[in-house]
Amino acid sequence: MDYLLIDNISRKYYSNSCQHKIQYGTAGFRTRAEHLNYVLYRMGILATIRSKFCAAAIGLMITASHNEESDNGVKLVDPSGEMLEAAWENIANNLVSASDDELIHVLRETINHYNIKEDAEATVIVGRDTRKSGSMLLEAAIKGIENSKGNVRDFGIITTPQLHYLVVCINTNHQYGDPTIEGYISKLSNAFLGNRNAQEKKQYQSQLYLDAANGVGAIAARKFTEKLENSINIDIFNDGSGVLNSKCGADYVKIYQTLPLNSPTEPYFKCISIDGDADRIIYYYSDQFQKVHLLDGDKIAALIITYFKELLPLTGLSIQLGLVQTAYANGASTNYVSEILKVPISFTSTGVKYLHHEAQKFDVGVYFEANGHGTVVFKEEIVNMVHAAIKDETITEKKRKATIKFSRIIDMINQSVGDALSDMLLVETILYEKDWNVEMFDRIYTDLPNKQLKVKVKDRSIIKTENAERTCLSPIGLQQKIDSLVSLYSKGRAFIRPSGTEDIVRVYAECDDAVAVNKLAAEVALAVHQLADGIGPAPVIPNN
Ligand code: 16G
Ligand code: MG
């Protein structure tokens, strides 16, 4: 390691002169792009060190997902395609908060602490979304990687889930798939096409309208469009010709429960919104009264669970199925999966890393955040069992067919992380097989009306929660207040949590009345404002 070079270049081009304090949050470092140059340089170095430590390739993705175009961010991807290990998030924080004078000291300390061989091989796989600031930040990351003697594999402009896929492929010696974007498109498309039969469908809609948030997902979706044109017809809008994430994309549609810009308004058209780095997906349609119906992450998860409950018994294999949700999951979805389908549900805090790990405890673990981020993870033993069953000549033809179908489902899913386009292929497979249109999909259960609000407080770190963020421990008295408010509403539920990505407290409320829910949310927001040092005007409680 050439510390002198690292130090010189740091001071000369990537000085930490910025007064911004930033933290490696739920999705890495994220802030205005102009504050990130030194962060990228340092993350390039950290990725290299982590690669030396793990003796495997590490991913580095430059994206700020659904944030506005002027923001950007960086997150590291661990060798198995998962989010960076928690202990290393702290190192990332120490490294980024170090002054120019402290940088080398922090680096040396990390290297000594982890006993890292400085001359070990290192590979960092890099990708970025379509943000204009991406190329400047990429340059900074590459400088960091090269100066710490790592090899760079730059895949250019790709989606976040594609980067995760590439990391897994490279670290499994291509067992997971071919480590190219073409390999990714082919693996998913072939699995999808394999499960299409020529049966005539009455209700299934092969036409879909995809809002790509004017982001990188449009590029990936176009590649699928070409491969799948005989099965599904994907009409892409917000395809990059407009402003990234501006009044479009999965986050916008979910939060505002409204149509994105340029959306078709014809009733019952099957529409999809993905986010700026294509790791979230929401289905939606509008009815003849122009009312927008959202089929969010909860409903997608419920569809997948419904399908697996039917398919898995047909394979004859003994496979335990489970779902992971967060506090945001609509109560109706929780009820449907646990009470009607009798499938166990675990709850975790918000953030993919928590859901992902919890899902790995099941043989087949489905996880989804209501905001549309989710996937399915399969235990390695299950994948091996499925492959062995296909080769087993003693099983019945019916079982073999179901098992082959299931193995294609496994191949269609990007297990490393939520992947909007892979999820889309899975949903389309299920709808096709069930011969359902989007309205039939919507009918699996009816969402409880719900509302989200934001409250600004002096210091959101005083808010402490437990029980997967469903219980507020501090400030004292706030949970009791929430409980007493909620008790006045039929099927009422509410919780609050400090945001991991914005300087605000989030409020979620649901109950069985679409008007009353606004009141409940405002009452809870007011309680937060009063008991947690709110700043700015107090939330106003609507009259009815
Ligand atoms: C990040 C998380 C997402 C979570 C969101 C919550 C990842 C990859 N992304 O975008 O899962 O829902 O943060 O944001 O983990 P909040 O803390 O501001 O509510
Ligand atoms: Mg995203």
Side-chain angles (χ1 to χ4, degrees):
M1 207 86 120
D2 189 341
Y3 290 107
L4 196 62
L5 178 70
I6 292 177
D7 197 24
N8 282 341
I9 299 294
S10 159
R11 288 174 195 276
K12 197 160 172 197
Y13 302 107
Y14 304 112
S15 169
N16 175 8
S17 49
C18 162
Q19 297 305 306
H20 266 75
K21 204 170 154 15
I22 64 170
Q23 289 278 321
Y24 198 98
T26 25
F29 292 108
R30 201 181 279 187
T31 186
R32 297 192 69 82
E34 66 263 28
H35 300 315
L36 279 167
N37 251 325
Y38 79 98
V39 176
L40 266 291
Y41 179 67
R42 292 175 183 200
M43 282 303 97
I45 300 171
L46 187 68
T48 310
I49 294 177
R50 176 102 180 124
S51 172
K52 288 177 199 252
F53 176 69
C54 298
I58 294 290
L60 184 153
M61 183 72 195
I62 302 171
T63 179
S65 184
H66 56 276
N67 289 35
E68 54 189 321
E69 161 80 42
S70 51
D71 283 355
N72 215 328
V74 56
K75 56 183 163 190
L76 300 189
V77 176
D78 260 354
S80 57
E82 292 174 15
M83 302 291 167
L84 180 67
E85 190 186 298
W88 281 66
E89 288 185 9
N90 292 334
I91 302 176
N93 283 328
N94 293 341
L95 203 60
V96 163
S97 60
S99 66
D100 289 351
D101 289 343
E102 292 162 344
L103 176 64
I104 298 301
H105 174 70
V106 175
L107 270 180
R108 278 191 199 277
E109 239 182 22
T110 308
I111 286 175
N112 290 341
H113 179 81
Y114 285 94
N115 219 349
I116 291 164
K117 292 198 184 65
E118 291 189 19
D119 54 356
E121 279 280 307
T123 301
V124 182
I125 301 163
V126 292
R128 61 188 168 103
D129 70 18
T130 51
R131 287 177 161 80
K132 286 187 202 76
S133 54
S135 55
M136 161 189 92
L137 297 177
L138 174 70
E139 205 180 297
I142 290 179
K143 273 277 173 317
I145 299 164
E146 288 180 346
N147 288 355
S148 47
K149 303 276 182 291
N151 302 307
V152 179
R153 288 188 69 173
D154 178 12
F155 282 87
I157 295 180
I158 55 176
T159 70
T160 295
Q162 284 175 336
L163 181 93
H164 284 253
Y165 165 90
L166 293 164
V167 170
V168 182
C169 291
I170 287 168
N171 284 323
T172 57
N173 265 329
H174 307 193
Q175 253 182 44
Y176 191 66
D178 188 31
T180 58
I181 294 306
E182 289 65 38
Y184 164 89
I185 303 283
S186 299
K187 181 181 175 190
L188 272 57
S189 305
N190 291 342
F192 175 80
L193 292 171
N195 273 357
R196 287 309 249 213
N197 50 40
Q199 276 170 15
E200 205 191 311
K201 301 288 169 182
K202 291 200 172 62
Q203 303 293 339
Y204 177 72
Q205 301 156 290
S206 58
Q207 173 70 44
L208 27 136
Y209 298 85
L210 188 140
D211 156 27
N214 286 315
V216 60
I219 301 170
R222 244 176 255 128
K223 295 203 165 118
F224 280 116
T225 310
E226 289 155 20
K227 283 259 182 198
L228 307 176
E229 61 187 354
N230 294 327
S231 307
I232 45 175
N233 188 15
I234 313 174
D235 224 323
I236 307 171
F237 63 102
N238 300 326
D239 62 352
S241 44
V243 182
L244 178 70
N245 297 326
S246 174
K247 296 204 162 80
C248 60
D251 197 59
Y252 174 80
V253 173
K254 170 72 180 159
I255 301 250
Y256 297 103
Q257 310 195 3
T258 184
L259 296 182
L261 222 56
N262 305 315
S263 177
T265 50
E266 285 81 349
Y268 305 108
F269 272 21
K270 182 165 62 180
C271 304
I272 293 171
S273 277
I274 63 176
D275 73 337
D277 63 340
D279 61 1
R280 289 193 198 178
I281 181 167
I282 299 280
Y283 272 69
Y284 67 89
Y285 67 95
S286 40
D287 62 22
Q288 75 262 42
F289 309 108
Q290 311 280 297
K291 180 171 183 277
V292 182
H293 296 252
L294 288 192
L295 294 80
D296 62 3
D298 298 337
K299 200 154 264 184
I300 293 171
L303 179 78
I304 297 170
I305 296 275
T306 306
Y307 180 64
F308 282 174
K309 274 281 282 188
E310 292 160 5
L311 177 62
L312 292 180
L314 301 180
T315 66
L317 302 170
S318 158
I319 298 176
Q320 168 221 26
L321 180 61
L323 173 65
V324 184
Q325 297 189 313
T326 71
Y328 288 106
N330 195 281
S333 76
T334 307
N335 185 60
Y336 172 74
V337 172
S338 62
E339 301 305 318
I340 315 271
L341 298 181
K342 305 277 182 223
V343 169
I345 305 183
S346 299
F347 282 85
T348 68
S349 298
T350 302
V352 170
K353 58 186 174 193
Y354 302 114
L355 288 108
H356 194 93
H357 286 142
E358 192 62 31
Q360 285 172 326
K361 295 182 183 163
F362 297 108
D363 287 348
V364 174
V366 179
Y367 72 84
F368 261 89
E369 292 190 306
N371 63 24
H373 191 127
T375 188
V376 187
V377 290
F378 304 88
K379 278 208 175 121
E380 202 179 326
E381 302 93 271
I382 298 299
V383 177
N384 293 339
M385 187 167 89
V386 166
H387 290 159
I390 294 171
K391 290 197 197 117
D392 181 355
E393 288 172 3
T394 65
I395 65 169
T396 63
E397 212 34 46
K398 200 173 155 209
K399 280 185 184 162
R400 186 192 319 282
K401 265 193 168 164
T403 311
I404 290 174
K405 197 183 271 181
F406 185 53
S407 87
R408 292 200 186 109
I409 298 281
I410 297 175
D411 283 345
M412 187 184 308
I413 289 168
N414 187 345
Q415 283 195 62
S416 57
V417 78
D419 181 333
L421 296 170
S422 153
D423 291 339
M424 174 189 79
L425 297 182
L426 178 58
V427 170
E428 290 307 313
T429 298
I430 301 171
L431 297 182
Y432 179 81
E433 194 162 327
K434 290 180 140 328
D435 196 10
W436 278 2
N437 59 34
V438 69
E439 207 199 349
M440 294 160 89
F441 171 16
D442 195 22
R443 282 204 292 261
I444 54 180
Y445 63 81
T446 305
D447 272 320
L448 285 171
N450 57 90
K451 178 87 183 167
Q452 287 193 45
L453 293 175
K454 302 175 183 186
V455 184
K456 269 199 159 299
V457 297
K458 222 184 266 166
D459 174 12
R460 75 191 198 283
S461 70
I462 63 161
I463 309 258
K464 301 270 182 273
T465 65
E466 64 168 11
N467 184 23
E469 301 177 321
R470 290 170 297 182
T471 309
C472 174
L473 295 176
S474 132
I476 306 277
L478 185 49
Q479 185 60 47
Q480 285 87 328
K481 182 73 190 160
I482 295 172
D483 290 342
S484 74
L485 292 168
V486 160
S487 67
L488 303 174
Y489 292 81
S490 163
K491 297 205 178 148
R493 185 172 72 87
F495 70 90
I496 62 139
R497 55 175 283 276
S499 160
T501 63
E502 287 180 63
D503 190 10
I504 47 144
V505 178
R506 295 199 193 278
V507 171
Y508 175 92
E510 69 182 28
C511 69
D512 67 3
D513 185 294
V515 175
V517 77
N518 294 316
K519 188 154 179 261
L520 174 58
E523 286 169 348
V524 175
L526 184 61
V528 173
H529 195 273
Q530 285 167 345
L531 293 169
D533 282 337
I535 47 179
V540 178
I541 316 276
N543 285 331
N544 45 24

